[in-house]
Amino acid sequence: MQPPPVITIDGPTASGKGTIAQRVAAALGWHYLDSGALYRLVALRALETGTDPSDEAALARLAAELCPRFSDGRVELDGRDVSDEIRREDVGVMASRIAVHPRLREALLALQRGFRQPPGLVADGRDMGTVVFPDARLKVFLTASVEERAERRHKQLREKGFSGSIADLLQDLQARDARDSNRATAPLRPAEDARHLDSSDLSIEDVVAQVLRWHGEG
Ligand code: CDP
């Protein structure tokens, strides 16, 4: 039996992957995996338990014990709704710091692959097309200029009631890009067979339409 089809959408921070992936999943009636949320959940746990971000064994344990519940765009951890907390910028920064550890990444693999259910899955992250779902039928690498991404993230955080200057965000973004791209394990890079899409001057609707067109061609 063929495994359910997968579309992967990878790219740097604030490139719009999440929004695009959710809309493509909704348009197709497929499941959606926000893999970054899993790294953020481990990061939240690490912050709450005072775990040292360099303690790979302890972090891998936290990841292995992770039992989140996703429903209606919300996520619960041990019965507590942490959807907004995991979007905090300090949690995102911690997520990118701990995501360098191979054992932590390994501990999250089965959880991620478990989302591959009929009729199909749209997965967004950094290594969806390269490591987690290398057999995906369509792989998209979504980018946007760093200035555009800082603007988008600023707007997103403001809507959630968080504050912060664009200049600080720009710095955070650049540091995160560098860390995600230069780490030894599962670095941020396009899969060899990925389609590249620069969304700097495109609307959300344009990007969704392009991904669906590629899907239709496949
Ligand atoms: O929202 P944003 O794109 O900034 O981040 P995210 O997708 O929620 O992921 C947070 C962090 O988790 C990233 O900076 C990556 O370091 C890490 N991550 C990863 O290593 N692999 C993934 N598949 C997804 C996220």
Side-chain angles (χ1 to χ4, degrees):
M1 221 177 68
Q2 291 275 8
V6 181
I7 297 176
T8 60
I9 303 188
D10 288 306
T13 185
S15 55
K17 304 175 305 284
T19 307
I20 303 303
Q22 282 178 65
R23 295 211 188 183
V24 170
L28 296 171
W30 288 11
H31 299 279
Y32 165 58
L33 165 63
D34 172 4
S35 64
L38 303 180
Y39 289 89
R40 286 170 179 270
L41 286 165
V42 180
L44 182 65
R45 266 283 143 79
L47 287 168
E48 286 178 349
T49 53
T51 305
D52 183 336
S54 64
D55 188 344
E56 179 166 9
L59 292 164
R61 249 193 325 274
L62 290 183
E65 287 163 2
L66 203 66
C67 200
R69 269 198 43 189
F70 289 89
S71 73
D72 296 331
R74 311 291 300 175
V75 55
E76 277 184 13
L77 206 51
D78 302 328
R80 178 175 134 224
D81 186 333
V82 294
S83 320
D84 295 330
E85 267 172 273
I86 61 165
R87 294 294 143 206
R88 283 189 342 231
E89 200 54 18
D90 63 321
V91 177
V93 171
M94 182 67 159
S96 129
R97 289 183 65 187
I98 64 175
V100 301
H101 298 303
R103 285 169 63 194
L104 175 148
R105 305 193 68 86
E106 179 74 31
L108 290 178
L109 265 184
L111 187 57
Q112 295 176 86
R113 291 188 174 141
F115 281 76
R116 187 174 195 168
Q117 300 285 339
L121 174 69
V122 183
D124 89 65
R126 303 292 188 287
D127 61 343
M128 297 296 98
T130 49
V131 176
V132 183
F133 303 109
D135 64 333
R137 74 149 69 147
L138 170 62
K139 301 177 184 178
V140 178
F141 195 75
L142 190 66
T143 54
S145 69
V146 71
E147 293 79 14
E148 177 64 28
R149 291 188 283 125
E151 290 272 349
R152 289 180 189 172
R153 178 52 50 88
H154 189 240
K155 187 162 163 259
Q156 196 183 39
L157 288 173
R158 253 202 345 242
E159 280 164 5
K160 291 195 188 302
F162 299 130
S163 55
S165 77
I166 294 235
D168 286 348
L169 273 176
L170 200 66
Q171 253 188 3
D172 261 12
L173 243 69
Q174 280 163 329
R176 193 118 64 100
D177 281 355
R179 214 168 18 233
D180 287 350
S181 307
N182 296 328
R183 68 182 174 220
T185 309
L188 169 67
R189 62 172 174 80
E192 272 176 25
D193 49 350
R195 309 262 201 154
H196 292 243
L197 190 51
D198 183 335
S199 71
S200 305
D201 300 316
L202 297 177
S203 69
I204 292 172
E205 289 72 24
D206 292 338
V207 178
V208 171
Q210 177 61 70
V211 175
L212 289 173
R213 253 193 318 272
W214 280 332
H215 169 67
E217 289 167 9

